[in-house]
Amino acid sequence: MSAAIASLASYGSDSDSENESESTTSTEKVDSVDPDATAHLTPLQSGHTMSLSVLNSAPEVAVKEAVETGIHLDPSLKEVTYNPTFETMFAAEFGPVNPYTTQQMAAPRNMLSGYAEPAHVNDFMFEQQRRTFSSFGYALDPSVDTHQLSSTSYIGAVDEAEKNKGLTVFETGQKKSEKRKKIKGGDAGEIDNFLGPWAKYVDEKDVAKPSEEEQKELDEITAKRQKKGKNEEEAPGEEKTILHVKDMYDYQGRSYLHVPQDVGINLRSAEAPDKCYLPKKQIHVWSGHTKGVSAIRLFPSSGHLLLSSSMDCKIKLWEVYGERRCLRTFIGHSKAVRDICFNNTGTQFLSAAYDRYLKLWDSETGQCISRFTNRKVPYCVKFNPDEDKQNLFVAGMSDKKIVQWDIRTGEVVQEYDRHLGAVNTITFVDENRRFVSTSDDKSLRVWEWDIPVDFKYIAEPSMHSMPAVTLSPNGKWLACQSMDNQILIFGAQNRFRLNKKKVFKGHMVAGYACQVDFSPDMSYVVSGDADGKLNIWDWKTTKLYHRIKAHDKVCISALWHPHETSKVITCGWDGQIKLWD
């Protein structure tokens, strides 16, 4: 036991002496460098001496011997921490190297028969040479310069190539067509000279032809037919009107244009209702049109009369209050009526139809005052709302122009020709100093009145055609029915910027110009859709509040009465006009 303790003591003294020698050497090294840089390495002053532990933060790197021995690399490794030799990098993945591998076997392959190097050959040129080789047995040698062609420039049947002068399968085909042209009857490519595939078998002697007298008769008949068709096309439809009420004037001599006083609300007031409510039920149906209704317009200011145009070529005037009778029918268009527009007082209105005529009517007597045409189909028509410009109106035409007429002279006074497609809508903004037009070219253009150059052009790649546009009651916003099944809102003052926070969705209108409208207090937005439904959105939140099945076919227009809290008028392609409350 004492021997063991003695040995331990001697071991301890030896280790202490070793530590002292190590510490002296380390301090000698430290003295040679800056003492501040090594301050953290000096041991703490305590009763016991302490050995230094040196930290090595360098990564482990394989030594030269380990590399030379050829350590196997895992093929899935993305990173190597040392520089391996070429043999290590390209060693076999599994097992030893195959001693019998030939150069051909070791070569890389990207197809079954070997390695195909990429070559820049046009797809058409490659297909042309491949077809030529399969048809004639020769093709151009791709390694030879095509500017210096000779017999050695071809591979395959070189004799055949010299015989054909190196023509490809496409070029030799032209010779056949030249032969075909020589055949009696001509070539189908020259349609004027082509007499058909049986022409070579027909003898001209056997062909029956009319005599000179018969030919003269035939020419007269065809000339008459052409003249008749031209006259029918040019002649406007005969205008007439039908009064459906017994007396045109009441006991005081007032016509139906007079604003009624006994309907419970003040129709003469310019103020809108304070609060509007959602319509819930149908309270009346105006039926009289035999085909779909295309547009409805309320009488200016009061809204006590309703004007409707239809695809049955007729225009009708209806009562909104009282017995809600049909007052008068205006007949004068030979084709479907597309659009209608009252003047400011409501005494006259314009109609635009597919017979290419615009007609000015007297609302009271039903007389057609004048006709306007430029031999193009008018798609929309609008009076200038200014009191001093009531003699002027604009119409969007099928030939991409907006045409301005003067009703006093009946002549075109201005043309706005900047759109690239048929003009669908015209809307006056900014106190009638400007107007906005939309077109089939998917753009929106803003014009100064009487200046035929648009000062604002809005067209984005994501935009769709907008065939129906309505100005809000406060004049600040334009609601545009877009063909991607949403209603877009543009600012109607200064910038005409799209309001991205106000997008009304949830209805299906693609392909139909369903008219949009606002409630008088700007609380709701209403629109019909392709399913015949009336959709009502909240203006602030853009949420779809209510949906009513209004018509059996497309609900093409919805109007909120400007003096009523919850009365909405809809019309559809089922020929009916409905009142909702």
Side-chain angles (χ1 to χ4, degrees):
M1 181 75 177
S2 60
I5 292 167
S7 65
L8 277 170
S10 65
Y11 174 75
S13 62
D14 291 339
S15 62
D16 287 341
S17 62
E18 284 175 9
N19 287 339
E20 283 174 10
S21 62
E22 284 177 7
S23 62
T24 52
T25 53
S26 63
T27 51
E28 284 172 6
K29 289 176 183 176
V30 169
D31 289 337
S32 62
V33 295
D34 185 11
D36 294 333
T38 56
H40 64 286
L41 296 174
T42 56
L44 292 170
Q45 296 298 324
S46 65
H48 299 283
T49 56
M50 211 174 141
S51 63
L52 272 175
S53 58
V54 181
L55 296 175
N56 185 7
S57 58
E60 290 184 8
V61 180
V63 293
K64 185 182 176 187
E65 290 78 12
V67 176
E68 287 175 349
T69 53
I71 297 170
H72 173 68
L73 278 177
D74 186 359
S76 63
L77 275 176
K78 296 280 196 303
E79 188 177 330
V80 182
T81 56
Y82 62 93
N83 295 333
T85 60
F86 177 84
E87 288 76 15
T88 308
M89 288 286 282
F90 292 93
E93 289 186 17
F94 298 104
V97 178
N98 183 3
Y100 304 106
T101 305
T102 61
Q103 188 180 359
Q104 188 177 358
M105 288 167 66
R109 297 201 301 176
N110 61 1
M111 56 188 296
L112 195 64
S113 57
Y115 184 80
E117 290 188 3
H120 183 69
V121 180
N122 193 332
D123 287 343
F124 172 75
M125 290 294 293
F126 180 84
E127 189 63 19
Q128 184 187 46
Q129 295 302 323
R130 188 191 66 77
R131 289 190 183 185
T132 305
F133 190 82
S134 60
S135 299
F136 304 133
Y138 64 86
L140 271 173
D141 186 351
S143 61
V144 176
D145 187 5
T146 53
H147 298 291
Q148 300 172 353
L149 292 178
S150 63
S151 59
T152 57
S153 304
Y154 296 93
I155 53 172
V158 180
D159 298 336
E160 191 70 22
E162 289 178 356
K163 184 181 172 184
N164 287 347
K165 296 181 181 177
L167 290 174
T168 63
V169 71
F170 297 122
E171 291 167 337
T172 51
Q174 292 174 1
K175 292 181 180 178
K176 293 179 183 176
S177 62
E178 286 170 12
K179 287 179 184 176
R180 273 182 66 192
K181 284 182 185 176
K182 294 174 185 176
I183 298 170
K184 187 178 177 182
D187 180 35
E190 295 182 0
I191 197 69
D192 296 332
N193 304 324
F194 186 58
L195 303 176
W198 300 99
K200 60 183 177 182
Y201 303 108
V202 178
D203 192 354
E204 288 184 9
K205 295 175 185 176
D206 301 333
V207 178
K209 289 183 180 179
S211 62
E212 287 184 12
E213 291 178 6
E214 288 172 334
Q215 186 64 43
K216 197 176 181 181
E217 248 180 90
L218 285 169
D219 290 341
E220 284 176 12
I221 291 165
T222 51
K224 277 181 186 177
R225 280 180 184 167
Q226 286 174 356
K227 194 176 179 182
K228 189 181 177 185
K230 198 174 181 182
N231 289 342
E232 280 180 2
E233 192 181 328
E234 287 179 358
E238 185 188 348
E239 294 92 5
K240 59 180 180 178
T241 181
I242 302 165
L243 183 67
H244 296 284
V245 291
K246 188 178 178 182
D247 298 314
M248 188 172 166
Y249 302 99
D250 64 3
Y251 69 97
Q252 286 186 332
R254 300 174 301 189
S255 73
Y256 49 71
L257 296 186
H258 178 75
V259 180
Q261 305 291 312
D262 55 348
V263 295
I265 57 168
N266 184 11
L267 295 178
R268 295 176 186 270
S269 169
E271 292 181 8
D274 294 333
K275 181 83 174 88
C276 289
Y277 304 94
L278 295 175
K280 294 288 196 306
K281 61 184 179 183
Q282 174 189 312
I283 59 172
H284 187 72
V285 179
W286 289 283
S287 54
H289 287 294
T290 55
K291 289 185 181 176
V293 181
S294 56
I296 50 174
R297 300 284 181 267
L298 283 166
F299 196 82
S301 302
S302 63
H304 72 288
L305 297 176
L306 179 72
L307 190 68
S308 66
S309 64
S310 169
M311 298 173 196
D312 61 6
C313 315
K314 294 174 185 173
I315 302 160
K316 289 181 183 284
L317 191 63
W318 315 80
E319 284 180 325
V320 175
Y321 296 98
E323 296 177 35
R324 300 193 174 101
R325 300 167 294 176
C326 179
L327 298 171
R328 190 181 281 279
T329 301
F330 305 83
I331 304 166
H333 287 289
S334 57
K335 289 184 181 175
V337 184
R338 165 89 185 207
D339 196 19
I340 44 178
C341 179
F342 274 114
N343 66 357
N344 282 3
T345 56
T347 54
Q348 296 175 350
F349 69 88
L350 281 161
S351 62
Y354 285 100
D355 60 3
R356 304 181 183 189
Y357 274 89
L358 292 137
K359 297 194 177 185
L360 181 66
W361 303 82
D362 188 297
S363 307
E364 190 173 323
T365 63
Q367 178 193 353
C368 180
I369 299 165
S370 52
R371 311 179 196 94
F372 311 90
T373 184
N374 68 343
R375 310 308 311 141
K376 298 291 182 291
V377 178
Y379 281 174
C380 57
V381 63
K382 277 280 193 302
F383 269 106
N384 187 315
D386 272 351
E387 289 296 336
D388 60 337
K389 296 189 182 75
Q390 284 290 283
N391 59 303
L392 299 170
F393 73 89
V394 282
M397 313 301 286
S398 59
D399 67 342
K400 313 170 192 176
K401 292 180 183 177
I402 299 169
V403 184
Q404 183 179 318
W405 267 280
D406 190 330
I407 60 175
R408 296 173 299 190
T409 60
E411 291 179 358
V412 175
V413 292
Q414 187 63 273
E415 279 189 353
Y416 306 84
D417 183 14
R418 301 279 284 182
H419 274 295
L420 306 173
V423 182
N424 291 322
T425 67
I426 296 169
T427 312
F428 282 86
V429 296
D430 194 17
E431 297 178 355
N432 312 320
R433 290 193 291 265
R434 299 166 175 173
F435 63 91
V436 176
S437 63
T438 62
S439 163
D440 284 346
D441 63 9
K442 303 179 184 178
S443 73
L444 184 145
R445 292 175 193 260
V446 190
W447 315 76
E448 295 276 358
W449 175 257
D450 226 7
I451 297 172
V453 179
D454 51 328
F455 79 89
K456 186 82 174 177
Y457 170 64
I458 302 167
E460 295 289 337
S462 59
M463 275 173 67
H464 289 68
S465 180
M466 296 180 291
V469 177
T470 305
L471 183 68
S472 66
N474 61 13
K476 290 182 180 178
W477 306 102
L478 284 169
C480 305
Q481 187 78 262
S482 180
M483 287 292 93
D484 56 349
N485 299 325
Q486 55 186 10
I487 298 168
L488 304 177
I489 306 295
F490 287 87
Q493 296 168 333
N494 302 326
R495 300 293 294 276
F496 295 91
R497 187 178 284 174
L498 175 66
N499 189 340
K500 293 180 181 177
K501 291 181 182 177
K502 293 258 190 279
V503 179
F504 300 90
K505 299 177 182 177
H507 62 320
M508 210 285 284
V509 287
Y512 301 97
C514 296
Q515 194 67 42
V516 190
D517 202 15
F518 295 86
S519 64
D521 68 341
M522 287 288 294
S523 297
Y524 304 107
V525 176
V526 291
S527 168
D529 67 10
D531 302 323
K533 294 187 178 76
L534 171 65
N535 301 274
I536 306 170
W537 291 267
D538 180 51
W539 169 255
K540 283 185 179 176
T541 62
T542 70
K543 285 182 180 176
L544 182 59
Y545 265 3
H546 200 40
R547 184 180 277 162
I548 306 168
K549 177 66 177 172
H551 295 272
D552 296 331
K553 292 184 181 176
V554 182
C555 178
I556 203 71
S557 186
L559 287 178
W560 199 302
H561 197 286
H563 296 288
E564 297 282 354
T565 56
S566 59
K567 281 191 171 64
V568 176
I569 302 164
T570 63
C571 69
W573 284 9
D574 55 0
Q576 293 185 327
I577 305 164
K578 297 184 180 182
L579 179 62
W580 304 83
D581 196 4

